[in-house]
């Protein structure tokens, strides 16, 4: 039997022990904006970023508050971005991307001690308020605070330690040639987890070793990871050095923000390199593993393009694993996949993986 090509589709749920789910993200964004306000008002300022150019920071904070208010009126930030695009508000999209980028840096970076204290105090007050409103049975602390314990979802560590192979010729760790990943996430979780193995600190090399492609990159062969929405600029494209939250914020305050590399998939033309890579992965997939992704309507065009290009005449057909804890959520995702495919799929070929402790490996 020939070796099967295994493709993963990752959504926000694949990073949920480190970053919030879409359903929790608005709460976390509100905490982020409040954090900027609290830092402005505290006497225990922890960084020069917050002591110089105070008026500029207040202006930025107010802009972000307006963006957050708009996001709250929409299902997700992506929905809001698509609306801005359809109505020609391109400067607002640019500002939204800046906000998303800084927010994700905030979530993924270790805060300085004094900042962490401000953050945790804000978390605690929200937890106490939420418990008074909803009752003691609801564990809001998980959503509001405990995800800050680690900046890397531990499941990526388990996943990579199980799969990485040593390329003796290049002396680097690589994913097996028959494993590919399509990620809808803006985060840098897989690079951060890989860095724990390589201790490289040059994220350009990490990107090359993992064979990552995002919109705007030059054409590459043998791509293993597609970042459909680009990513948070956790590192500089020029030298691969880490950009921490404070450096990015200081650049924004100074009027010189570091170039943003978030790019929504629907901004990409169908004749692009990205679509050609999607087509290649779809037509050669034997096993599909869906983790933490629910196929929302605003991603429908690309999801449909990927799934409808499955080759139904492969020997043995295609097996689909949907990894999600809740059975009802599994049934919802299963139905959406079948509707996107548009052809008959044997229900025995779509399997539920309820395990949330580690990413499923067929």
């Amino acid at each position: 039997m020939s070796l099967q090509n295994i493709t993963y589709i990752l959504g926000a749920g694949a990073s949920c022990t480190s970053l919030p789910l879409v359903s929790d993200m608005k709460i976390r964004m509100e905490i982020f904006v409040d954090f900027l306000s609290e830092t402005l008002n505290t006497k225990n300022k922890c960084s020069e970023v917050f002591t110089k150019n105070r008026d500029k920071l207040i202006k930025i904070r107010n802009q972000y508050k307006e963006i957050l208010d708009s996001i709250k009126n929409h299902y997700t930030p992506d929905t809001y971005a698509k609306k801005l695009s359809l109505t020609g508000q391109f400067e607002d999209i640019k500002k939204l991307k800046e906000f998303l980028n800084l927010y994700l840096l905030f979530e993924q970076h270790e805060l300085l001690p004094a900042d962490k204290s401000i953050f945790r105090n804000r978390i605690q007050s929200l937890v106490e308020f939420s418990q008074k409103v909803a009752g003691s049975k609801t564990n809001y602390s998980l959503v509001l605070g405990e995800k800050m314990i680690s900046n890397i979802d531990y499941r990526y560590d388990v996943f990579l330690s199980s799969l990485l192979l040593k390329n003796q010729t290049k002396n680097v760790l690589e994913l097996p040639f028959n494993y590919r990943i399509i990620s809808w996430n803006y985060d840098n979780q897989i690079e951060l987890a890989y860095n724990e193995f390589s201790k490289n600190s040059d994220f350009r090399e990490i990107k090359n070793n993992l064979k990552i492609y995002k919109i705007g990159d030059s054409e590459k062969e043998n791509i293993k990871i597609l970042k459909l929405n680009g990513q948070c600029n956790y590192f500089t494209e020029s030298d691969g050095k880490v950009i921490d939250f404070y450096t990015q914020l200081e650049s924004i305050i100074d009027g010189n923000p570091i170039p943003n590399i978030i790019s929504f998939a629907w901004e990409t033309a169908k004749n692009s390199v990205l679509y050609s890579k999607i087509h290649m992965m779809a037509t050669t997939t034997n096993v599909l593993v869906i983790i933490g992704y629910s196929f929302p309507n605003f991603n429908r065009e690309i999801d449909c393009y990927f799934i409808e290009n499955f080759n139904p005449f492969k020997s043995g057909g295609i097996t689909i694993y949907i990894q999600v804890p809740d059975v009802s959520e599994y049934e919802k995702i299963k139905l959406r996949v079948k509707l996107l495919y548009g052809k008959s799929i044997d229900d025995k070929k779509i399997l539920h993986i309820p395990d949330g402790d580690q990413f499923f490996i067929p």
Side-chain angles (χ1 to χ4, degrees):
M1 180 178 176
S2 61
L3 202 59
Q4 293 185 316
N5 289 321
I6 300 168
T7 302
Y8 284 79
I9 295 182
L10 304 182
S15 302
C16 69
T17 73
S18 171
L19 294 164
L21 294 169
V22 173
S23 57
D24 304 326
M25 192 172 285
K26 293 173 187 176
I27 302 174
R28 299 286 296 191
M29 287 178 172
E30 187 169 350
I31 293 169
F32 163 60
V33 173
D34 285 348
F35 169 82
L36 293 178
S37 300
E38 289 292 324
T39 308
L40 281 166
N41 296 329
T42 183
K43 295 179 180 180
N44 186 22
K45 294 181 178 65
C46 59
S47 170
E48 291 184 3
V49 172
F50 302 113
T51 58
K52 69 178 184 179
N53 297 320
R54 177 183 172 87
D55 291 343
K56 290 183 180 179
L57 181 55
I58 292 173
K59 182 180 178 181
I60 290 166
R61 185 267 174 197
N62 290 340
Q63 286 177 337
Y64 289 169
K65 180 66 169 61
E66 290 179 7
I67 291 171
L68 177 58
D69 288 342
S70 296
I71 289 173
K72 285 180 179 179
N73 291 327
H74 296 81
Y75 182 57
T76 68
D78 304 68
T79 310
Y80 176 48
K82 188 70 178 287
K83 181 178 180 180
L84 291 175
S85 176
L86 292 171
T87 54
Q89 300 177 72
F90 300 112
E91 282 301 311
D92 288 338
I93 292 177
K94 184 177 177 181
K95 205 67 184 175
L96 172 62
K97 289 179 180 179
E98 177 185 289
F99 171 78
L100 289 173
N101 186 74
L102 189 63
Y103 163 70
L104 287 165
L105 279 175
F106 173 78
E107 288 281 15
Q108 291 186 111
H109 265 292
E110 185 73 15
L111 297 177
L112 294 173
D115 277 359
K116 187 174 287 188
S117 176
I118 294 170
F119 181 80
R120 290 194 182 281
N121 288 340
R122 176 61 179 149
I123 291 289
Q124 186 58 39
S125 65
L126 281 171
V127 170
E128 291 173 357
F129 174 77
S130 299
Q131 288 177 338
K132 284 181 181 178
V133 172
S136 58
K137 292 182 179 180
T138 305
N139 185 8
Y140 282 86
S141 61
L142 180 62
V143 171
L144 297 175
E146 292 175 9
K147 288 177 184 174
M148 288 294 290
I149 291 173
S150 173
N151 66 334
I152 306 174
D153 191 310
Y154 69 89
R155 294 171 299 172
Y156 285 96
D157 178 68
V158 178
F159 181 70
L160 291 177
S161 64
S162 302
L163 289 181
L164 287 175
L165 301 172
K166 187 68 171 286
N167 183 322
Q168 298 296 340
T169 304
K170 297 180 180 179
N171 194 32
V172 297
L173 294 169
E174 297 179 339
L175 288 169
F177 74 90
N178 60 319
Y179 279 78
R180 298 86 60 92
I181 297 171
I182 295 176
S183 176
W184 280 104
N185 297 333
Y186 310 105
D187 63 46
N188 314 91
Q189 291 293 294
I190 195 161
E191 296 101 312
L192 290 170
Y194 181 89
N195 190 45
E196 294 296 305
F197 292 88
S198 66
K199 295 297 182 184
N200 191 308
S201 76
D202 185 337
F203 276 73
R204 288 175 308 173
E205 289 190 23
I206 291 172
K207 181 179 176 181
N208 288 333
N209 293 345
L210 288 171
K211 296 181 173 58
I212 296 173
Y213 178 85
K214 63 173 180 56
I215 298 169
D217 287 345
S218 57
E219 172 70 279
K220 295 179 182 178
E221 297 297 325
N222 303 317
I223 295 299
K224 290 190 178 297
I225 300 175
L226 286 180
K227 295 278 191 96
L228 296 180
N229 282 325
Q231 62 188 35
C232 162
N233 61 1
Y234 193 95
F235 58 93
T236 57
E237 295 280 281
S238 59
D239 60 11
K241 301 299 182 186
V242 171
I243 309 170
D244 65 29
F245 166 70
Y246 302 101
T247 300
Q248 179 71 286
L249 179 57
E250 191 165 15
S251 295
I252 293 171
I253 290 171
D254 290 340
N256 300 303
I258 297 163
N260 198 309
I261 51 178
I262 289 176
S263 51
F264 301 109
W266 42 261
E267 294 177 298
T268 310
K270 272 200 170 182
N271 61 352
S272 67
V273 174
L274 183 73
Y275 270 86
S276 70
K277 299 301 183 187
I278 293 170
H279 184 270
M280 179 276 295
M281 288 189 178
T283 55
T284 57
T285 291
N286 302 102
V287 177
L288 179 65
V289 182
I290 301 163
I291 302 178
Y293 184 62
S294 60
F295 295 88
N297 284 336
F298 51 80
N299 291 335
R300 183 179 178 83
E301 183 176 348
I302 285 183
D303 286 336
C304 188
Y305 181 77
F306 175 73
I307 289 177
E308 71 183 4
N309 276 295
F310 282 162
N311 182 354
F313 303 109
K314 289 189 183 75
S315 176
I318 295 169
T319 302
I320 300 173
Y321 296 94
I322 300 174
Q323 183 168 9
V324 63
D326 186 68
V327 175
S328 62
E329 186 70 12
Y330 158 70
E331 292 291 346
K332 180 174 71 175
I333 296 170
K334 175 182 173 181
L335 177 60
R336 290 179 180 178
V337 169
K338 293 178 75 171
L339 290 173
L340 286 171
Y341 187 52
K343 306 180 186 74
S344 177
I345 302 179
D346 185 352
D347 275 9
K348 293 179 181 178
K349 290 286 187 177
I350 305 179
L351 305 173
H352 182 205
I353 307 297
D355 182 10
D357 291 334
Q358 56 189 351
F359 295 157
F360 175 69
I361 300 176

